[in-house]
Amino acid sequence: MAGAAEQRQGWRYRANVGARVVAGTLGAYAVAALFAAALARTLPMPRADATIPATLLAFALGPCVTVWAFLARGPWRAWAGVILCGALFAAIAWLAGMPA
């Protein structure tokens, strides 16, 4: 009986870590890309010139999202934070890219 409980606990632990790893890698990449797109469209300079600082700042944001994924209280909160940040940056990029 204790073996089954230990096995289920081990499965939950592995699923928790797996969800955080996916959120910390793929989610961080998506958030960083959306942040770069949003910042490149909102900086007050030509878009070709704004791409470089936006991309450099996005490289700093990616590890922060990864750390967030592992510091959140649970995998659902980690995914919620990643999705909310991604949606916010996507909305900013979409609104800034709309023609006037």
Side-chain angles (χ1 to χ4, degrees):
M1 194 67 166
E6 289 177 6
Q7 187 177 17
R8 185 171 43 184
Q9 185 178 10
W11 179 84
R12 284 186 179 181
Y13 175 76
R14 288 186 179 96
N16 185 352
V17 172
R20 290 173 189 265
V21 166
V22 173
T25 54
L26 298 177
Y29 178 79
V31 168
L34 291 169
F35 173 78
L39 192 61
R41 291 179 182 207
T42 55
L43 283 178
M45 58 180 68
R47 285 189 184 173
D49 295 335
T51 302
I52 294 172
T55 305
L56 290 176
L57 287 175
F59 279 126
L61 182 67
C64 294
V65 174
T66 302
V67 169
W68 159 252
F70 284 95
L71 287 180
R73 296 189 86 186
W76 292 110
R77 288 188 183 202
W79 272 107
V82 168
I83 289 171
L84 285 176
C85 286
L88 175 69
F89 293 139
I92 291 171
W94 184 71
L95 290 174
M98 291 178 64

